[in-house]
Amino acid sequence: MKIGPISISPRTIRNLRKEFRSSGLARIGVVLVVVIVLAAAFAPMIAPHNPRTQNLDRAQLPPLGFTDTEQRTSTEMVNGSVQTVTENVTVNATAQHPLGTNSLGQDILSRAIYGARTSLLVGLFGTVLAALLGVTVGLTAGYYRGRIDDALMRTADVSLAFPSLVLAIALIGLFSRFQADVAIAITDPLVTTGVAGSFRDAVGLPTPMPETFVLPTVVILVVGFVNWVWFARIARGEALSVREEEYVKAARALGASDVRIVFRHVLPNSITPILVLATIQVAAIILLESALSFLGFSGTTLSWGFDIAQGRDYLSSSWWIATVPGIAIVLSVIGINLVGDWLRDALDPGIEGEGGM
Amino acid sequence: MGYGRFLLKRGVQGVGVVWGVVTVVFILRFITPGSPIDTVAPLDASQETRQRIAEDLGLDQPLYVQYLDYLWELLQGNMGYSYISSIPASVQVFQKLPATLELAVAASVVAVVISIPLGVISATRRHQPADYAATSFSLLGISTPNFWLGIMLVLVFAVELNVFPTSGRAYGFMQSLAAITGPEPFFTVVTAWLASLFLPAITLGTYFTALITRLVRSGMLDELSEGYVRATRAKGLPETLVRYKHVLRNTLVPVVTVLGLQLGTLIGGAVITEAVFAWPGLGTEIIRAINARDWPILQGSLIVIGTGFVLLNIVVDALYAYLDPRVIAE
């Protein structure tokens, strides 16, 4: 199989298959990832409610299988004097809101489904950005060695000395005077025109709910920028070893330019560990995004981290508001990590450790 | 290259990185929108007042003069004064630091105490129930956002069971030490301190427990297949000695290096753990400083964190080189 200049050998595919068959965990990972991706892509069709519609009459409904007692106070006239009466009212779950509702009466299941979009988009775009930046730096450093290598790797050291989360909140907080600056609204291409749109028209589904989807652009830029260093370290190591190979020396002897050598020979031969790292980084960036939106440094309110922050204020009365989005994060990150483990075991790129939050 | 020269080289590199950190922190203020004058001056300040504030803060000087001034003041331990409270930034930062260190150390202790035995058991009983339990736990641990874990722990242990406080820091390590001779009953003080530390430490420590368990497990599996293991066994060494004296020791050396690089993750985790538990440390201070645009505090905190990271990594490298002299040659 050939993708651009990168060819995947039949042996690699065989290893992937073998590992997939023998490892139950790899299969669980793939299933989880597929479910999350489908939820994100087809959110408007799957979600039973508009995730933003508020309904205070239906606020804080418990998930199916649970009941909740709520204290309601009312004032009544008793024997000619006004008295406050407190009574315990049992609140039952309803099948219309299988996972309950939050303090604004928004459907928790629908918000969890839409939250997958934010997490996956930020995770994917952030990782691509970090990889582009890091791999370029790493390959340059490893290929040229010497002074360029020293300068680039010292820059990487400086970057490592700032914890990602701290640097990210500093950048987002400082570059936006108001939190609203952080995001721009884009018309949701998947819903209106894309695959999902034509599918919806074909089966005659009703109009999707939110027509616009907020893409937290600044968050993507920032999470990509704070995580490049892990890619740089891996790419540099690969470049250092590949540059000594005979075929690279041969290409150089034939007069190939440095750019050509790096892109045609060094990069394709370093792609395995970069791919494995990228998989793990998607998980790390999803965790980072959730932390940022939990702290309020995010451009969108349709995010798992944001919902956890909201639910935290209702912990003693409605535990499910903070619990459900957290489970969604854990399941997606477990899925991605399992896929990462599968790729690592099957491709054996010889890397250890992982980029953290 | 001898050990001394190796240390010297790492030291010089470290100073370079710290200088880089300071420079980035300095530049950050000039590329972000808004001027410090807006933070300091009242909204209705006259042009003269703003001019005077600019002069006070040295903002009327050319950029390179401001930079050299900043470096010179830093070398004397002066990080400027908080724009909000006018307290020296160094004082404010170092007042908040112990609470964060306490949290980070407690989390590390939790992580090391649990993870190393877990990793060893997992590797030596591969494909047995204990291994599956440990692997599942560590997968869950590295996949759970620590702030959510913290909230769930509060839900169970503070809201429902009411055995630990929901938030805040009671006393602290130094006050607990002082209570030995102080008027307050020692036992009460220490219990309150540890109770307030317990949930935050678990919250922050879980990710690292899981991470180290994974590293120890895979490292030990690699080591167990090495030739020297068979040799020591053939020599008749008891299995426990083989495992703990030889294999575990060789496993831990690279683990420590990975952890040195993950120190940033620990600090980042501490920031958000502090936010969950209203822990009065550096993380809470940083978020406050960002929102208030209290530049000296933010810059001071970042410099302290960056310097700490560099110092600890030098210590790690020095230890690594001492345990495995081959590193020096590379």
Side-chain angles (χ1 to χ4, degrees), chain B:
Chain B
M1 190 166 31
Y3 192 58
R5 273 200 65 189
F6 173 78
L7 283 189
L8 189 69
K9 194 178 158 215
R10 282 299 283 116
V12 172
Q13 273 177 2
V15 172
V17 173
V18 170
W19 173 64
V21 168
V22 170
T23 308
V24 168
V25 159
F26 179 82
I27 293 172
L28 201 58
R29 204 186 84 195
F30 288 92
I31 56 172
T32 48
S35 157
I37 301 173
D38 301 333
T39 315
V40 181
L43 279 176
D44 58 349
S46 64
Q47 204 51 47
E48 287 107 67
T49 319
R50 292 177 66 92
Q51 184 61 37
R52 223 189 50 242
I53 292 171
E55 280 167 25
D56 276 356
L57 297 174
L59 296 174
D60 54 337
Q61 303 282 331
L63 201 57
Y64 74 93
V65 176
Q66 291 189 41
Y67 177 60
L68 291 177
D69 267 356
Y70 188 66
L71 282 184
W72 180 239
E73 293 293 326
L74 267 184
L75 283 175
Q76 295 167 310
N78 181 3
M79 296 174 170
Y81 295 84
S82 162
Y83 290 165
I84 312 295
S85 65
S86 300
I87 297 172
S90 47
V91 172
Q92 203 157 332
V93 168
F94 282 105
Q95 247 169 20
K96 299 289 179 180
L97 190 62
T100 303
L101 284 182
E102 187 179 292
L103 181 57
V105 170
S108 310
V109 169
V110 168
V112 168
V113 166
I114 300 175
S115 66
I116 292 181
L118 214 55
V120 172
I121 291 169
S122 198
T124 49
R125 301 196 190 148
R126 203 179 178 187
H127 299 315
Q128 287 174 27
D131 180 26
Y132 290 129
T135 332
S136 312
F137 160 77
S138 53
L139 179 66
L140 208 60
I142 62 161
S143 306
T144 306
N146 57 2
F147 61 92
W148 182 70
L149 176 68
I151 291 172
M152 291 297 111
L153 290 174
V154 167
L155 176 62
V156 175
F157 292 100
V159 176
E160 297 294 327
L161 300 176
N162 205 10
V163 281
F164 292 107
T166 50
S167 64
R169 177 180 183 231
Y171 301 99
F173 179 65
M174 292 315 281
Q175 282 107 314
S176 299
L177 274 188
I180 298 175
T181 54
E184 285 179 276
F186 176 68
F187 185 73
T188 323
V189 172
V190 170
T191 325
W193 169 53
L194 289 179
S196 73
L197 184 58
F198 188 78
L199 292 184
I202 301 282
T203 300
L204 181 55
T206 298
Y207 174 80
F208 290 92
T209 312
L211 181 69
I212 304 173
T213 306
R214 274 167 78 101
L215 292 173
V216 168
R217 179 180 183 271
S218 65
M220 243 187 128
L221 285 176
D222 284 349
E223 285 293 325
L224 281 171
S225 62
E226 295 278 330
Y228 74 88
V229 176
R230 225 175 311 141
T232 44
R233 278 181 188 149
K235 211 169 72 178
L237 273 190
E239 186 62 25
T240 30
L241 215 58
V242 175
R243 277 181 197 169
Y244 293 95
K245 184 150 178 278
H246 295 278
V247 176
L248 184 59
R249 193 188 133 151
N250 284 340
T251 306
L252 288 184
V253 177
V255 167
V256 169
T257 312
V258 175
L259 289 182
L261 292 175
Q262 290 282 332
L263 207 69
T265 315
L266 183 68
I267 302 296
V271 169
I272 199 156
T273 307
E274 287 179 12
V276 172
F277 289 96
W279 192 260
L282 206 52
T284 317
E285 194 63 12
I286 288 175
I287 294 179
R288 192 197 59 74
I290 289 171
N291 286 328
R293 278 158 205 276
D294 196 344
W295 273 104
I297 301 290
L298 176 61
Q299 290 176 315
S301 309
L302 289 176
I303 290 171
V304 166
I305 289 175
T307 311
F309 178 88
V310 170
L311 280 179
L312 262 164
N313 272 290
I314 291 179
V315 172
V316 166
D317 284 356
L319 272 175
Y320 197 150
Y322 180 72
L323 291 172
D324 187 355
R326 283 172 302 178
V327 180
I328 297 174
E330 277 166 25

Side-chain angles (χ1 to χ4, degrees), chain A residues 41-48 114 190-191 195-197 199-200 203 205-206 208-209:
Chain A
F42 297 98
M45 275 161 275
I46 307 165
Y114 270 89
L190 260 184
V191 172
V195 186
F199 175 76
R200 196 191 67 236
V203 292
L205 278 166
M209 289 153 302

Side-chain angles (χ1 to χ4, degrees), chain A residues 155-341:
Chain A
T155 314
D157 285 349
V158 172
S159 175
L160 263 179
F162 294 101
S164 313
L165 178 71
V166 176
L167 190 59
I169 53 176
L171 289 176
I172 295 173
L174 295 170
F175 275 103
S176 57
R177 292 248 100 177
F178 307 100
Q179 302 280 304
D181 288 1
V182 180
I184 53 158
I186 52 159
T187 306
D188 191 339
L190 260 184
V191 172
T192 45
T193 53
V195 186
S198 41
F199 175 76
R200 196 191 67 236
D201 294 341
V203 292
L205 278 166
T207 318
M209 289 153 302
E211 283 292 347
T212 59
F213 176 73
V214 174
L215 187 70
T217 327
V218 172
V219 176
I220 290 174
L221 291 177
V222 166
V223 295
F225 179 73
V226 298
N227 274 338
W228 65 276
V229 76
W230 304 103
F231 286 97
R233 294 173 68 93
I234 297 273
R236 174 179 176 268
E238 289 297 311
L240 276 178
S241 66
V242 173
R243 79 189 293 279
E244 302 300 333
E245 298 279 349
E246 293 297 328
Y247 55 84
V248 172
K249 286 182 186 156
R252 206 176 294 143
L254 285 170
S257 70
D258 287 345
V259 175
R260 191 185 154 84
I261 295 176
V262 168
F263 280 99
R264 297 290 302 189
H265 301 287
V266 181
L267 178 62
N269 286 292
S270 329
I271 207 74
T272 313
I274 293 170
L275 252 178
V276 174
L277 177 69
T279 317
I280 304 167
Q281 276 296 314
V282 174
I285 289 183
I286 286 180
L287 286 176
L288 179 59
E289 189 278 331
S290 71
L292 287 172
S293 50
F294 174 75
L295 292 173
F297 290 91
S298 166
T300 172
T301 53
L302 214 53
S303 161
W304 292 331
F306 180 85
D307 282 357
I308 294 175
Q310 298 294 299
R312 185 186 164 200
D313 298 335
Y314 297 88
L315 213 51
S316 51
S317 58
S318 316
W319 53 266
W320 55 90
I321 302 177
T323 308
V324 174
I327 293 173
I329 299 176
V330 173
L331 288 179
S332 357
V333 176
I334 284 185
I336 296 167
N337 278 329
L338 285 176
V339 170
D341 286 352

